[in-house]
Amino acid sequence: MFERPEGGERAVLVHLEFPDDEQREALAEFRELVAASGARPVEVITGGRRAPDPRYFIGSGKAEQIRRLIAGDGRVDLVLFNHALSPAQERNLERLFQCRVLDRTGLILDIFAQRARSHEGKLQVELAQLRHISTRLVRGWTHLERQKGGIGLRGPGETQLETDRRLLAERIKYLRRRLEKVRHQREQGRRSRRRAEVATVSLVGYTNVGKSSLFNRLTRARVYAADQLFATLDPTLRRLELGNGCSAVLADTVGFIRHLPHHLVAAFRSTLQESRDAQLLLHVVDAGDPLRHEKMEQVNRVLKEIGAERVPQIEVYNKIDLLDNVAPRVECDRHGRTRRIWLSALSGEGVELVRGALEQWLGSGRRRLGLRLPPAQGRLRALLHQWGVVVEEQVERSGGWALVVLVDDRQRELLRRQKGFEEVEYLADGAAAAPGAGSDRQIPRFSERST
């Protein structure tokens, strides 16, 4: 067997074309993945097959061609496949090439390992890597061979392979326990937002479509954004003030990709749950990508896998600054609700259209009310501000507050169950009239409702 090098960047890329859509991959996207991993391509081997070869995936002739190329170059450290290889195929290719072989899944996992920054992200990536490696322990390590037999050598004991499998299993259990704690922490945060009646809007989309750039534009955050695949992995949440007493929590999530490894989807399930529990999804799309419809289908497949297929979506077509004669605009359905927005997160053109659409979606069904709170209801006043529904507020002589709020039916019902406040009809000029004003416009008051 070969000695496995500590690292290497010179790589031969292998890409095959298949008639089956489920096995077809894009060569341009593969090049971007390789660039994101830090490898330097020295040769791209392409070809076509009707079906993968059981032994080498690429067939014996093409495998021999790559072997001669590697032997002649002498400096190739890695062969990267733009396809998913079985453990047996990967092992056979490494024996033939005498160098490391990595498939598309392993390449994506390596990129994720480089980009993970938060504690949770590192745990998730390590779990996905170990689950992937656990099926490939038999490849390339000469010290993992079966123990020798013979006089004086027989007896109980573990082989090195069994030891590594046991250690891997223990590490995977440990990571799952740690991630379960993180999942509970995230769930507590989601419960707090639900109690505060704060809506969550999640940014989803294919990788490198500009989600983080749009997130920064809307929230004025400084999330890392770059023109590369999987520039950011760790989810970021920021409060977004929309005006008219309407606010939301905006979540920036990891980008998706065609044939996203199942291990990654499983490991990032707690992170992706932000999308499943959101009230609205902003599906960001690269407007100039000729394969945008296919990539949108891939995103929707992942959303279905995590149980978020029924969450309402607004499609956001980004990067119109790269197109000719395309202006920012909004497209609505037959009910007048926003369905598509065309904008440029880089230049800022059309970003305000997103705010207007969010106000429309999240503020629908809300109505303005005048409320009068006594001084003892400071906690309820704080709750109203936490909801982000206070439009206007005045301090009364008694020390209480007269407020104008914008609430939906559920929030209104919660308020009417509270003790000691009065609900008054809202005047068109935006004020809640004081009792006994002696005016023809005096506001009729509801009776107090207490628990």
Side-chain angles (χ1 to χ4, degrees):
M1 297 297 289
F2 60 92
E3 290 296 325
R4 306 177 75 82
E6 294 296 326
E9 294 183 344
R10 292 175 56 84
V12 173
L13 312 187
V14 181
H15 170 83
L16 297 184
E17 292 289 343
F18 292 96
D20 185 6
D21 287 337
E22 287 301 316
Q23 294 178 323
R24 187 178 299 147
E25 305 288 358
L27 179 58
E29 183 176 88
F30 182 42
R31 291 179 183 272
E32 291 184 40
L33 284 171
V34 173
S37 71
R40 290 185 297 134
V42 297
E43 189 74 31
V44 180
I45 304 297
T46 59
R49 288 185 64 89
R50 295 185 61 85
D53 179 70
R55 185 178 183 186
Y56 291 128
F57 188 86
I58 52 177
S60 57
K62 189 69 69 175
E64 180 62 24
Q65 175 189 346
I66 298 173
R67 187 196 67 78
R68 290 197 300 267
L69 171 65
I70 295 172
D73 185 279
R75 294 179 297 169
V76 174
D77 304 300
L78 182 65
V79 178
L80 297 174
F81 277 72
N82 191 24
H83 311 277
L85 301 177
S86 70
Q89 289 168 340
E90 199 167 305
R91 183 170 63 253
N92 294 336
L93 290 168
E94 286 189 336
R95 286 173 177 168
L96 179 65
F97 299 155
Q98 291 296 297
C99 71
R100 289 182 299 145
V101 174
L102 205 62
D103 66 354
R104 180 184 174 90
T105 300
L107 180 61
I108 295 175
L109 287 172
D110 183 78
I111 297 172
F112 271 58
Q114 295 180 43
R115 302 286 165 77
R117 292 293 179 266
S118 70
H119 176 65
E120 179 187 6
K122 292 176 181 179
L123 290 177
Q124 290 168 327
V125 173
E126 184 182 358
L127 176 60
Q129 285 182 316
L130 292 181
R131 294 179 65 180
H132 180 68
I133 292 173
S134 63
T135 62
R136 288 161 161 77
L137 274 182
V138 293
R139 64 171 190 180
W141 281 275
T142 55
H143 71 284
L144 297 185
E145 292 176 352
R146 195 182 293 256
Q147 288 181 337
K148 294 181 179 179
I151 297 174
L153 297 177
R154 300 186 181 95
E158 274 186 320
T159 63
Q160 184 64 52
L161 178 59
E162 290 168 342
T163 302
D164 281 21
R165 281 177 174 167
R166 177 174 53 80
L167 294 175
L168 267 180
E170 291 175 357
R171 181 65 180 174
I172 288 174
K173 289 180 181 178
Y174 168 77
L175 291 174
R176 284 176 173 170
R177 288 196 300 267
R178 295 290 298 272
L179 284 173
E180 187 65 20
K181 291 182 180 179
V182 175
R183 188 188 68 81
H184 285 306
Q185 292 171 355
R186 285 194 169 275
E187 183 59 33
Q188 288 175 356
R190 281 189 283 268
R191 283 199 299 266
S192 298
R193 292 196 295 272
R194 285 194 291 267
R195 284 196 299 267
E197 301 292 328
V198 178
T200 300
V201 179
S202 183
L203 288 167
V204 299
Y206 213 76
T207 182
N208 201 29
V209 295
K211 295 186 301 300
S212 296
S213 298
L214 180 58
F215 182 85
N216 290 338
R217 280 284 182 182
L218 289 171
T219 64
R220 298 180 182 176
R222 296 183 179 180
V223 173
Y224 178 71
D227 185 17
Q228 59 185 13
L229 301 187
F230 304 117
T232 53
L233 296 183
D234 303 316
T236 307
L237 285 80
R238 292 288 186 276
R239 191 177 184 91
L240 181 62
E241 299 294 340
L242 299 172
N244 291 330
C246 187
S247 64
V249 171
L250 188 64
D252 184 21
T253 59
V254 63
F256 301 153
I257 197 170
R258 180 179 173 86
H259 294 159
L260 188 67
H262 178 72
H263 298 317
L264 274 178
V265 176
F268 278 74
R269 191 169 297 276
S270 63
T271 301
L272 297 174
Q273 196 170 349
E274 296 290 352
S275 300
R276 191 193 70 181
D277 294 341
Q279 281 70 47
L280 179 66
L281 300 179
L282 294 181
H283 188 163
V284 185
V285 183
D286 184 349
D289 190 343
L291 300 176
R292 70 188 188 200
H293 295 295
E294 179 183 341
K295 292 181 177 179
M296 290 172 68
E297 291 179 3
Q298 295 296 325
V299 173
N300 288 326
R301 286 183 185 178
V302 178
L303 291 175
K304 184 177 181 180
E305 187 173 347
I306 64 175
E309 71 276 12
R310 295 185 179 180
V311 180
Q313 289 188 18
I314 295 179
E315 296 173 1
V316 179
Y317 288 81
N318 188 26
K319 303 185 181 182
I320 63 170
D321 53 300
L322 302 178
L323 304 177
D324 296 328
N325 302 320
V326 178
R329 68 179 187 273
V330 173
E331 298 179 10
C332 301
D333 59 15
R334 56 192 180 94
H335 301 293
R337 287 194 126 181
T338 302
R339 287 300 180 188
R340 296 181 185 87
I341 303 175
W342 297 74
L343 54 80
S344 169
L346 183 64
S347 66
E349 296 179 277
V351 173
E352 287 304 314
L353 299 176
V354 178
R355 291 181 176 274
L358 293 179
E359 289 182 25
Q360 179 193 50
W361 272 86
L362 303 179
S364 60
R366 295 193 175 198
R367 56 178 297 186
R368 288 177 181 261
L369 294 178
L371 299 181
R372 183 163 290 109
L373 301 181
Q377 280 290 356
R379 179 176 294 182
L380 181 57
R381 172 180 173 270
L383 178 61
L384 291 171
H385 282 280
Q386 186 179 5
W387 286 354
V389 298
V390 177
V391 179
E392 185 178 339
E393 181 181 34
Q394 294 179 355
V395 180
E396 296 185 318
R397 293 181 181 178
S398 63
W401 302 272
L403 305 98
V404 177
V405 297
L406 185 67
V407 293
D408 57 29
D409 292 339
R410 184 170 56 170
Q411 290 170 329
R412 184 185 181 195
E413 185 60 30
L414 288 173
L415 291 174
R416 294 177 73 174
R417 294 176 185 174
Q418 303 300 314
K419 182 178 180 179
F421 81 92
E422 298 176 58
E423 179 182 342
V424 296
E425 191 174 308
Y426 171 69
L427 283 179
D429 61 4
S439 167
D440 293 336
R441 299 182 65 190
Q442 181 176 344
I443 303 175
R445 293 185 290 164
F446 292 92
S447 60
E448 292 188 6
R449 302 175 186 274
S450 60
T451 55

